[in-house]
Amino acid sequence: MKNSYNIMIVGVGGQGSLLASRLLGNVFMQKGFDVKVSEVHGMSQRGGSVNCMVKYGQAVYAPIIADGEADVVVAFEKIEALRWLKLLKAGGTLIVNDNEILPIPVKMGKASYPHDAIEQLQQTVEHVCPVRATELAQQLGTIRVASIILLGALVKKLGLEQYDWTALIRRKVPAKFLEANLKAYQVGLQSV
C-alpha cells in the first residue's frame, strides 16, 4: 500500500456526508491504519456545500487533500462533483449521486443548473460511477439513507468488503434508522 489513500466526500448540508466520513474513519482506525479526517460544514445547515477529507494509510501527517491528490471523490450531488473535481487525481475514481439540489441562485433565476453534469463528468474523468442513490433511497422509504447507499457503492468499488461495515452501522446509527441503513448499505453494494 502506498503511504496514504485519499477519499474526498462532498455534498450539501443534510445529506449525510459527515456520517459517511466518520464511518470510513472508524473502520480504518479499527483496522490499524493511521487516519485523519477533516470536515468543513459551516454552511451545512443552510444547504451549503459540505466537504470531508478522509486519509488513511501507514502514516498520515495531515488531513488536507490538495488538488489532484484524491484517489476517490464521492459526490452526494452532481454540481458538487463538478465543483470538487479538481481534487481528483488522474486515473482516480468519481462516484456521483445522480441527484440535483438546486442552489438558491438557480431557484431565483440568476444562474442555471448544469443538468448534463454526468455527461460532462464522463467526458473529463475516466472512471465515473453514477449511482441513483436518492432514487434508490426513496424506494427504501427515506432519502436519508442515500449516504449509506453511496458508502456501499464506495466500499464495493474499492474492494473494501472485507471490513465489517454492517457491525459499524449497527453501532453508529440510531435504532429507529438501523434497518433502513442496513438495507441501504446492501443496495449500495449492488449499485455498482
Side-chain angles (χ1 to χ4, degrees):
M1 173 182 209
K2 64 182 188 162
N3 188 48
S4 70
Y5 200 83
N6 306 321
I7 301 171
M8 183 75 180
I9 300 174
V10 299
V12 174
Q15 287 188 292
S17 51
L18 299 178
L19 172 63
S21 69
R22 290 175 183 155
L23 290 172
L24 282 169
N26 238 292
V27 163
F28 297 138
M29 279 192 332
Q30 289 174 12
K31 294 302 171 188
F33 291 111
D34 187 10
V35 180
K36 302 290 186 284
V37 178
S38 172
E39 303 168 349
V40 177
H41 50 91
M43 294 298 291
S44 64
Q45 293 177 350
R46 296 188 184 125
S49 184
V50 175
N51 67 76
C52 306
M53 300 175 188
V54 179
K55 293 178 88 170
Y56 71 98
Q58 297 170 350
V60 177
Y61 302 105
I64 304 304
I65 299 171
D67 290 358
E69 288 186 353
D71 296 285
V72 179
V73 172
V74 181
F76 285 37
E77 198 276 340
K78 293 190 290 190
I79 205 167
E80 294 300 319
L82 290 168
R83 181 178 312 195
W84 293 98
L85 188 59
K86 64 185 177 200
L87 271 71
L88 188 64
K89 73 178 188 179
T93 299
L94 173 65
I95 298 171
V96 57
N97 185 5
D98 191 358
N99 183 42
E100 295 180 3
I101 297 176
L102 302 180
I104 291 173
V106 172
K107 289 179 181 178
M108 294 175 62
K110 295 184 178 185
S112 61
Y113 190 95
H115 297 290
D116 65 341
I118 297 290
E119 292 79 13
Q120 288 182 43
L121 293 164
Q122 288 172 329
Q123 291 173 4
T124 309
V125 178
E126 183 179 351
H127 305 289
V128 177
C129 179
V131 179
R132 297 176 352 268
T134 301
E135 180 184 327
L136 293 168
Q138 287 171 332
Q139 292 172 10
L140 291 173
T142 176
I143 63 168
R144 296 183 66 146
V145 298
S147 61
I148 301 301
I149 291 172
L150 289 165
L151 176 67
L154 173 66
V155 166
K156 181 69 170 191
K157 197 73 174 165
L158 297 182
L160 300 173
E161 300 97 329
Q162 72 270 26
Y163 302 136
D164 196 353
W165 297 93
T166 56
L168 181 63
I169 292 168
R170 287 184 187 283
R171 285 196 313 274
K172 298 294 181 181
V173 173
K176 66 181 180 178
F177 304 117
L178 182 58
E179 286 309 312
N181 278 278
L182 290 172
K183 287 177 186 173
Y185 174 71
Q186 293 302 320
V187 167
L189 285 175
Q190 296 167 14
S191 70
V192 294

